[in-house]
């Protein structure tokens, strides 16, 4: 096909009178082949231009996706940090509430049991003195 293409181009570039041995039908056949080659080349050129346009569009879309993914990554990092601090605050609040509850329970238990110990320690002294005075009475 390459030799035919070269001959076709040669016939296009050089006038017909330079090739007197090619008469009529042969010349028309070469002209048709040259026209076919030209049409194929134009189609290929159009396809290349179309492909270039599609590649440009694809490149723009990939750049958009890259920018969007960067923004998404930044947003997820800030959101994760925000949720982490929120979680820490809730744990601190829960710890304070539990600690406060335990402190209140401890205070109530101390109030209940310490006076009994002081009464209990003064009680046996009274019982000792009462026991000594009781049978004597």
């Amino acid at each position: 096909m390459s030799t035919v293409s070269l001959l076709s181009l040669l016939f296009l570039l050089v006038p017909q009178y330079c090739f007197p041995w090619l008469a009529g039908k042969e010349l028309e056949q070469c002209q048709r082949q040259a026209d076919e080659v030209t049409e194929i080349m134009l189609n290929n050129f159009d396809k290349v231009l179309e492909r270039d346009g599609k590649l440009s569009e694809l490149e723009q879309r990939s750049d958009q996706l890259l920018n969007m993914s960067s923004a998404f990554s930044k947003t997820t990092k800030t959101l994760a940090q925000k949720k982490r601090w929120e979680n820490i605050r809730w744990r601190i609040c829960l710890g304070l509430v539990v600690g406060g509850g335990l402190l209140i329970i401890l205070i109530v238990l101390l109030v209940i049991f310490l006076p009994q110990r002081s009464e209990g320690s003064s009680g046996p002294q009274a019982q000792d003195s009462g026991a000594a005075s009781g049978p004597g009475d």
Side-chain angles (χ1 to χ4, degrees):
M1 179 112 179
S2 62
T3 55
V4 173
S5 300
L6 291 174
L7 284 176
S8 299
L9 289 174
L10 185 64
F11 286 126
L12 287 174
L13 299 175
V14 180
Q16 294 177 2
Y17 59 86
C18 292
F19 299 102
W21 63 88
L22 292 177
K25 291 184 180 179
E26 292 175 348
L27 188 59
E28 287 177 12
Q29 182 183 7
C30 287
Q31 187 64 38
R32 279 191 306 251
Q33 287 177 350
D35 290 341
E36 287 176 13
V37 168
T38 304
E39 185 178 333
I40 290 172
M41 288 174 59
L42 289 174
N43 285 339
N44 286 342
F45 186 71
D46 289 340
K47 287 179 183 178
V48 166
L49 290 178
E50 183 179 324
R51 183 175 180 220
D52 184 46
K54 287 181 180 179
L55 285 175
S56 297
E57 182 182 331
L58 186 62
E59 184 179 1
Q60 288 174 352
R61 286 170 43 193
S62 68
D63 287 341
Q64 276 182 330
L65 284 174
L66 182 64
N67 292 337
M68 288 171 56
S69 69
S70 168
F72 179 75
S73 176
K74 184 178 178 182
T75 303
T76 56
K77 284 180 183 177
T78 56
L79 184 63
Q81 186 178 16
K82 180 182 173 184
K83 289 297 179 181
R84 191 177 306 118
W85 279 110
E86 188 176 304
N87 191 13
I88 289 172
R89 276 186 250 139
W90 276 109
R91 286 184 180 183
I92 289 172
C93 289
L94 182 64
L96 290 175
V97 167
V98 169
L102 289 174
L103 186 64
I104 290 172
I105 291 173
L106 182 66
I107 290 172
V108 168
L109 289 175
L110 287 176
V111 166
I112 291 173
F113 289 115
L114 279 182
Q116 287 180 356
R117 284 187 183 171
S118 62
E119 288 175 8
S121 62
S122 65
Q125 290 173 359
Q127 284 180 355
D128 288 338
S129 62
S133 65
D137 266 337

